[in-house]
Amino acid sequence: MNKILDFSTQIKEIIDEHAYKILIGLLLIAFSLGLVIILIMNQNSNDANNVATDYSEQSSVVASSSSSEGQSSASGKDLYIDVKGEVKHPGVYQIPSNSRVTDVIKEAGGFKADADEQNVNLAKVLNDQDVVVVNKKGADGSSSFANSNNTTTRSSANNVKINLNTADLNELQKLDRVGEKKAQKIIDYRNQHNGFHSIDEIKQVSGFGDKTFERLKDSLEV
């Protein structure tokens, strides 16, 4: 019992004598532990940021890829082409983009026996809403190709005469080199003058001179 008391007394004396040093040591240990904890937290935070960055980059790549695919799909959409005249199966055909006249003629079953093949530009590249008209051999004028803005690039003879007094805007645009503006001028003139009394009266419409009349007269009636 006395030995235990003596040992306790010695410990107390040592603590009292070195209390300052012990306090310093404890503070150093606490500081070191705090520093280690801060370093570990920073490391975890950096790892989380790296993961987030990698995910963001991957998302950007996916989004970019999706956008590119969408643009590719949009630029590669199908065309709708109206085929008329001397083909086996006239009608509207859906064909891939960058197709040519020869492709849509094949879709329409090919030319009829009396088709004027020599005046059809088979190499012409098509656009959406284009119209391809194939005439018979010996018909006045050549086969026509009208693009989607209704501008005819060649003679538009289809053996069907256009009545200047009854044709609507779309029918008038079937005339050779007559677009929407010229067709509207014809309609405005007939409304203002109670119709056309003869086909040569079209020369009174702005933009329709003698040369134009000579080109169109076989396709006109009143």
Side-chain angles (χ1 to χ4, degrees), residues 84-126:
K84 302 178 183 294
E86 301 308 304
V87 292
K88 294 180 180 178
H89 305 292
V92 176
Y93 289 89
Q94 180 180 359
I95 59 175
S97 62
N98 298 321
S99 295
R100 299 176 184 270
V101 171
T102 184
D103 300 315
V104 77
I105 293 294
K106 291 177 183 177
E107 289 292 324
F111 293 110
K112 288 184 177 179
D114 55 354
D116 185 11
E117 300 179 34
Q118 299 300 318
N119 287 312
V120 179
N121 183 1
L122 296 175
K124 179 71 177 178
V125 177
L126 295 167

Coordinates of all heavy atoms in Angstrom, one line a residue, residues 84-126:
K84 N -44.4 13.0 -113.9 CA -45.5 13.0 -114.8 C -45.2 12.6 -116.2 O -44.0 12.6 -116.5 CB -46.1 14.5 -114.8 CG -46.5 15.1 -113.4 CD -46.9 16.5 -113.6 CE -47.3 17.1 -112.2 NZ -48.4 16.5 -111.6
G85 N -46.2 12.4 -117.0 CA -46.0 12.2 -118.4 C -45.7 10.7 -118.8 O -46.3 9.8 -118.2
E86 N -44.8 10.5 -119.7 CA -44.6 9.2 -120.4 C -43.7 8.3 -119.6 O -42.6 7.9 -120.0 CB -44.1 9.4 -121.8 CG -45.0 10.2 -122.7 CD -46.4 9.7 -122.7 OE1 -46.6 8.5 -123.0 OE2 -47.3 10.5 -122.4
V87 N -44.1 8.0 -118.4 CA -43.4 6.9 -117.6 C -44.5 5.9 -117.3 O -45.7 6.2 -117.3 CB -42.8 7.5 -116.3 CG1 -41.6 8.4 -116.6 CG2 -43.8 8.2 -115.4
K88 N -44.1 4.7 -116.9 CA -45.0 3.6 -116.7 C -46.0 3.9 -115.5 O -47.1 3.5 -115.5 CB -44.3 2.3 -116.6 CG -43.6 1.9 -117.9 CD -42.8 0.6 -117.7 CE -42.1 0.2 -119.0 NZ -41.4 -1.1 -118.8
H89 N -45.4 4.5 -114.5 CA -46.2 4.7 -113.2 C -46.0 6.1 -112.7 O -45.3 6.3 -111.8 CB -45.8 3.7 -112.2 CG -45.9 2.2 -112.6 ND1 -47.1 1.6 -112.9 CD2 -44.9 1.3 -112.9 CE1 -46.8 0.4 -113.3 NE2 -45.5 0.2 -113.3
P90 N -46.7 7.1 -113.3 CA -46.6 8.5 -112.8 C -47.1 8.6 -111.4 O -47.9 7.8 -110.9 CB -47.5 9.3 -113.8 CG -47.7 8.4 -115.0 CD -47.6 7.0 -114.5
G91 N -46.5 9.5 -110.7 CA -46.9 9.7 -109.3 C -45.8 10.4 -108.5 O -44.8 10.8 -109.0
V92 N -46.1 10.5 -107.2 CA -45.1 11.1 -106.2 C -44.3 10.0 -105.6 O -44.9 9.0 -105.1 CB -45.8 11.9 -105.2 CG1 -44.8 12.5 -104.2 CG2 -46.6 13.1 -105.8
Y93 N -43.0 10.1 -105.7 CA -42.1 9.1 -105.2 C -41.2 9.6 -104.1 O -40.7 10.8 -104.2 CB -41.2 8.5 -106.3 CG -42.1 7.6 -107.2 CD1 -42.7 8.2 -108.3 CD2 -42.3 6.3 -107.0 CE1 -43.5 7.4 -109.2 CE2 -43.0 5.5 -107.8 CZ -43.6 6.1 -108.9 OH -44.4 5.3 -109.7
Q94 N -41.0 8.8 -103.1 CA -40.0 9.1 -102.0 C -38.7 8.5 -102.3 O -38.6 7.2 -102.4 CB -40.6 8.7 -100.6 CG -39.7 9.0 -99.4 CD -40.3 8.5 -98.1 OE1 -41.4 7.9 -98.1 NE2 -39.6 8.7 -97.1
I95 N -37.6 9.3 -102.4 CA -36.3 8.7 -102.8 C -35.3 9.3 -101.9 O -35.5 10.4 -101.3 CB -36.0 9.0 -104.3 CG1 -36.0 10.5 -104.5 CG2 -37.0 8.3 -105.2 CD1 -35.5 10.8 -106.0
P96 N -34.1 8.7 -101.8 CA -33.0 9.2 -100.9 C -32.5 10.6 -101.4 O -32.6 10.9 -102.6 CB -31.9 8.2 -101.0 CG -32.6 6.9 -101.4 CD -33.7 7.4 -102.4
S97 N -31.9 11.4 -100.5 CA -31.3 12.6 -100.9 C -30.2 12.4 -101.9 O -29.6 11.3 -101.9 CB -30.8 13.4 -99.7 OG -29.8 12.6 -99.0
N98 N -29.8 13.4 -102.6 CA -28.7 13.3 -103.6 C -29.0 12.4 -104.8 O -28.1 12.0 -105.5 CB -27.4 12.9 -103.0 CG -26.9 13.8 -101.9 OD1 -27.0 15.1 -102.1 ND2 -26.4 13.3 -100.8
S99 N -30.3 12.0 -104.9 CA -30.7 11.2 -106.1 C -30.8 12.1 -107.3 O -30.9 13.3 -107.3 CB -32.1 10.6 -105.8 OG -32.0 9.6 -104.8
R100 N -30.8 11.4 -108.5 CA -30.8 12.1 -109.8 C -32.1 11.7 -110.5 O -32.8 10.8 -110.1 CB -29.6 11.8 -110.6 CG -28.3 12.3 -109.9 CD -27.0 11.9 -110.7 NE -25.8 12.3 -109.9 CZ -25.2 13.5 -110.0 NH1 -25.7 14.4 -110.9 NH2 -24.2 13.8 -109.3
V101 N -32.3 12.4 -111.6 CA -33.6 12.1 -112.4 C -33.6 10.7 -112.8 O -34.7 10.0 -112.8 CB -33.6 13.0 -113.7 CG1 -34.7 12.6 -114.6 CG2 -33.8 14.5 -113.3
T102 N -32.5 10.1 -113.2 CA -32.5 8.7 -113.6 C -33.0 7.7 -112.5 O -33.7 6.7 -112.8 CB -31.1 8.2 -114.0 OG1 -31.1 6.9 -114.5 CG2 -30.1 8.3 -112.8
D103 N -32.7 8.1 -111.2 CA -33.2 7.3 -110.1 C -34.7 7.3 -110.0 O -35.4 6.3 -109.8 CB -32.5 7.8 -108.8 CG -31.0 7.7 -108.9 OD1 -30.5 6.7 -109.3 OD2 -30.4 8.6 -108.4
V104 N -35.3 8.5 -110.1 CA -36.8 8.6 -109.9 C -37.5 8.0 -111.1 O -38.6 7.5 -111.0 CB -37.2 10.1 -109.6 CG1 -37.2 10.9 -110.9 CG2 -38.5 10.1 -108.9
I105 N -36.9 8.1 -112.3 CA -37.5 7.5 -113.5 C -37.6 6.0 -113.3 O -38.6 5.3 -113.6 CB -36.7 7.8 -114.7 CG1 -36.8 9.3 -115.1 CG2 -37.2 7.0 -115.9 CD1 -38.2 9.8 -115.4
K106 N -36.5 5.4 -112.7 CA -36.5 3.9 -112.4 C -37.6 3.6 -111.4 O -38.3 2.6 -111.5 CB -35.2 3.5 -111.9 CG -34.1 3.5 -112.9 CD -32.7 3.2 -112.3 CE -31.6 3.3 -113.3 NZ -30.3 3.0 -112.7
E107 N -37.8 4.5 -110.4 CA -38.8 4.2 -109.4 C -40.2 4.3 -110.0 O -41.1 3.6 -109.6 CB -38.8 5.3 -108.3 CG -37.6 5.2 -107.4 CD -37.6 4.0 -106.5 OE1 -38.7 3.6 -106.1 OE2 -36.6 3.3 -106.3
A108 N -40.4 5.1 -111.1 CA -41.6 5.2 -111.8 C -41.8 4.1 -112.8 O -42.8 4.2 -113.6 CB -41.8 6.6 -112.4
G109 N -41.0 3.1 -112.9 CA -41.2 2.0 -113.8 C -40.4 2.1 -115.1 O -40.5 1.3 -116.0
G110 N -39.7 3.3 -115.3 CA -39.0 3.5 -116.5 C -39.9 4.2 -117.5 O -41.0 4.5 -117.3
F111 N -39.3 4.5 -118.7 CA -40.0 5.2 -119.8 C -41.0 4.3 -120.5 O -40.8 3.1 -120.6 CB -39.0 5.7 -120.8 CG -38.0 6.8 -120.3 CD1 -36.7 6.5 -120.1 CD2 -38.5 8.1 -120.0 CE1 -35.8 7.5 -119.6 CE2 -37.7 9.1 -119.6 CZ -36.3 8.8 -119.4
K112 N -42.0 4.9 -121.0 CA -42.9 4.2 -121.9 C -42.2 4.2 -123.3 O -41.3 4.9 -123.5 CB -44.3 5.0 -122.0 CG -45.1 4.9 -120.8 CD -46.5 5.6 -121.1 CE -47.4 5.4 -119.9 NZ -48.7 6.1 -120.1
A113 N -42.8 3.4 -124.2 CA -42.2 3.1 -125.5 C -42.1 4.4 -126.3 O -41.2 4.6 -127.1 CB -43.0 2.1 -126.2
D114 N -43.1 5.3 -126.1 CA -43.1 6.5 -127.0 C -42.6 7.7 -126.2 O -42.8 8.9 -126.6 CB -44.5 6.8 -127.5 CG -45.5 6.9 -126.3 OD1 -45.2 6.6 -125.2 OD2 -46.7 7.2 -126.6
A115 N -41.9 7.5 -125.1 CA -41.3 8.6 -124.4 C -40.1 9.3 -125.1 O -39.3 8.6 -125.8 CB -40.8 8.1 -123.0
D116 N -40.0 10.6 -125.0 CA -38.9 11.3 -125.6 C -37.7 11.3 -124.7 O -37.4 12.3 -124.0 CB -39.4 12.8 -125.9 CG -38.4 13.6 -126.6 OD1 -37.4 13.0 -127.1 OD2 -38.5 14.8 -126.7
E117 N -37.0 10.2 -124.6 CA -35.9 10.0 -123.7 C -34.7 10.9 -124.0 O -34.0 11.3 -123.1 CB -35.4 8.6 -123.8 CG -36.5 7.5 -123.4 CD -35.9 6.1 -123.5 OE1 -34.7 5.9 -123.2 OE2 -36.7 5.2 -123.8
Q118 N -34.6 11.3 -125.3 CA -33.4 12.1 -125.7 C -33.4 13.5 -125.0 O -32.4 14.1 -124.9 CB -33.4 12.2 -127.2 CG -33.2 10.9 -127.9 CD -31.9 10.2 -127.5 OE1 -30.9 10.8 -127.4 NE2 -32.0 8.9 -127.3
N119 N -34.6 14.0 -124.7 CA -34.7 15.3 -124.1 C -34.8 15.4 -122.6 O -35.3 16.3 -122.0 CB -35.8 16.1 -124.8 CG -35.5 16.5 -126.2 OD1 -34.5 17.0 -126.5 ND2 -36.4 16.2 -127.1
V120 N -34.5 14.2 -121.9 CA -34.6 14.2 -120.5 C -33.1 14.1 -119.9 O -32.4 13.3 -120.3 CB -35.3 12.9 -120.0 CG1 -35.4 12.9 -118.5 CG2 -36.7 12.9 -120.6
N121 N -32.8 15.1 -119.1 CA -31.5 15.1 -118.5 C -31.4 14.2 -117.3 O -31.8 14.5 -116.2 CB -31.1 16.5 -118.0 CG -29.7 16.6 -117.4 OD1 -29.0 15.7 -117.4 ND2 -29.4 17.8 -117.0
L122 N -31.0 12.9 -117.5 CA -31.0 11.9 -116.5 C -30.0 12.2 -115.4 O -30.1 11.7 -114.3 CB -30.8 10.6 -117.1 CG -31.8 10.1 -118.1 CD1 -31.3 8.7 -118.7 CD2 -33.1 9.9 -117.4
A123 N -29.0 13.0 -115.6 CA -28.0 13.3 -114.6 C -28.3 14.4 -113.7 O -27.6 14.7 -112.7 CB -26.7 13.7 -115.3
K124 N -29.5 15.1 -113.9 CA -29.9 16.2 -113.0 C -30.1 15.8 -111.6 O -30.8 14.8 -111.3 CB -31.2 16.8 -113.6 CG -31.7 18.0 -112.8 CD -30.8 19.2 -113.0 CE -31.3 20.4 -112.2 NZ -30.5 21.6 -112.3
V125 N -29.4 16.5 -110.6 CA -29.6 16.2 -109.2 C -30.9 16.8 -108.8 O -31.3 17.9 -109.1 CB -28.5 16.9 -108.4 CG1 -28.7 16.6 -106.9 CG2 -27.1 16.3 -108.8
L126 N -31.7 16.0 -108.0 CA -33.0 16.4 -107.5 C -33.0 17.1 -106.2 O -32.2 16.8 -105.3 CB -33.9 15.2 -107.5 CG -34.2 14.5 -108.8 CD1 -34.8 13.1 -108.6 CD2 -35.1 15.4 -109.7

